[in-house]
Amino acid sequence: MTGALSTVTVRGNSRARPGARVTLGEALSGGILALLLVAAIAPQLLAPGDPLAVHPLESFRPPSWGHLFGTDESGRDIFTRVVHGARPSLLIGLAATAIGVGLALILGTLGALSNRVVDFATTRIVEVLFALPGLLLALVFIAIAGPGILTTTIAVGLSTAPGYARIIRGRILAVRESEYIDAAVVLGRSPWFITSRHIIPNALAPVFVLATLGVGQAIVWASSLSYLGLGAVPPAAEWGAMLSAGRTYMSVAWWMTVFPGLAIVATAAAATTLGRSIQARTRQGQK
């Protein structure tokens, strides 16, 4: 009987191992994000040139060995600008996601742990914000506060907060009904201890996984706002601003928009792929 049980256990473990293997998509996404981190932290390692250096005689050069991504209307190297543009784009995406999760944590926690009046008020606020399209909400905020990189970051964060707030509130309400919370109450633990030690950590675990998916979305939204001239403006080495500057020359210099656009797509796809993989592995671990 013991041998049979051990055999079953070994077989079960052998079946679980393939699920822990890194897939090709995860490896590619991890490589892309690692390359982007290097570009954001030390861009000079990949592109030692100056992203703002002007060379009028080199304007509109197509992609070649001398200029891998070609040059723009002022002779600036597109590859150098794309590499140096990774830092502001990633910072905007990460900061906007942090703002959205932080604001959602406040609204969701107040709604789930306060009395009915506060819960009703916060829930109505979240529902009103959630009814508006995220990009439209960001545009409204920018129209009030004015354009700029900081304003764009806050606007994107505010537009993502309602979705996170609904998830956090639902998770906290579900955790409050758990048996270990009842056990902590019976043991005489204070409400603050229960909230900070048990409810918040267990409720936020899936939110941080979803935030990984939100980083890619935040980068796309921030680039869209920069493309509209509401974020970073040319000649800043930022992907959305580069798209905005290159749209005028699409017929004569397609590379001015294609390569910054590919950087945005690759970053969003890599972040989304890794986020979904983490989410799937977390669910498998809970079963």
Side-chain angles (χ1 to χ4, degrees):
M1 188 68 176
T2 305
L5 288 176
S6 62
T7 302
V8 173
T9 303
V10 171
R11 289 178 180 175
N13 291 337
S14 64
R15 290 177 182 177
R17 286 175 185 173
R21 294 176 181 174
V22 178
T23 64
L24 178 61
E26 294 173 350
L28 289 176
S29 300
I32 292 173
L33 292 180
L35 191 63
L36 288 172
L37 287 177
V38 173
I41 297 173
Q44 296 296 333
L45 294 178
L46 302 177
D50 183 1
L52 300 179
V54 176
H55 304 284
L57 297 179
E58 298 290 326
S59 61
F60 295 122
R61 298 285 186 181
S64 62
W65 286 112
H67 303 283
L68 294 179
F69 291 175
T71 61
D72 61 9
E73 75 280 6
S74 299
R76 293 183 291 256
D77 186 71
I78 300 296
F79 176 76
T80 301
R81 289 173 60 77
V82 169
V83 171
H84 285 259
R87 177 181 296 174
S89 298
L90 289 179
L91 286 178
I92 291 174
L94 292 173
T97 303
I99 291 173
V101 173
L103 181 59
L105 178 60
I106 296 174
L107 293 175
T109 304
L110 284 176
L113 299 180
S114 300
N115 54 47
R116 293 183 178 180
V117 176
V118 177
D119 184 24
F120 178 84
T122 55
T123 303
R124 297 293 84 77
I125 292 174
V126 170
E127 288 180 351
V128 170
L129 295 176
F130 197 76
L132 297 173
L135 194 56
L136 177 60
L137 182 60
L139 289 173
V140 171
F141 180 82
I142 292 176
I144 297 173
I149 295 180
L150 179 60
T151 306
T152 298
T153 304
I154 298 175
V156 174
L158 291 177
S159 62
T160 60
Y164 292 130
R166 294 183 66 178
I167 296 173
I168 291 175
R169 179 180 178 275
R171 285 291 305 172
I172 290 178
L173 292 176
V175 171
R176 285 181 60 184
E177 303 299 326
S178 303
E179 294 181 355
Y180 59 86
I181 299 298
D182 296 334
V185 174
V186 172
L187 292 174
R189 303 297 187 185
S190 65
W192 172 254
F193 179 86
I194 295 174
T195 300
S196 60
R197 189 69 178 270
H198 299 293
I199 295 180
I200 298 298
N202 287 283
L204 287 185
V207 177
F208 287 125
V209 175
L210 291 176
T212 307
L213 298 171
V215 171
Q217 180 187 20
I219 292 175
V220 172
W221 284 7
S223 299
S224 301
L225 294 173
S226 295
Y227 179 82
L228 296 175
L230 301 176
V233 295
E238 194 269 340
W239 295 337
M242 294 173 65
L243 283 176
S244 179
R247 60 182 175 179
T248 308
Y249 308 101
M250 278 290 294
S251 59
V252 295
W254 53 267
W255 52 87
M256 290 180 60
T257 54
V258 168
F259 291 112
L262 287 177
I264 297 172
V265 172
T267 303
T272 302
T273 300
L274 284 184
R276 292 189 182 278
S277 299
I278 295 172
Q279 190 177 33
R281 292 174 184 272
T282 302
R283 289 176 179 176
Q284 290 179 357
Q286 293 175 348
K287 292 181 180 181

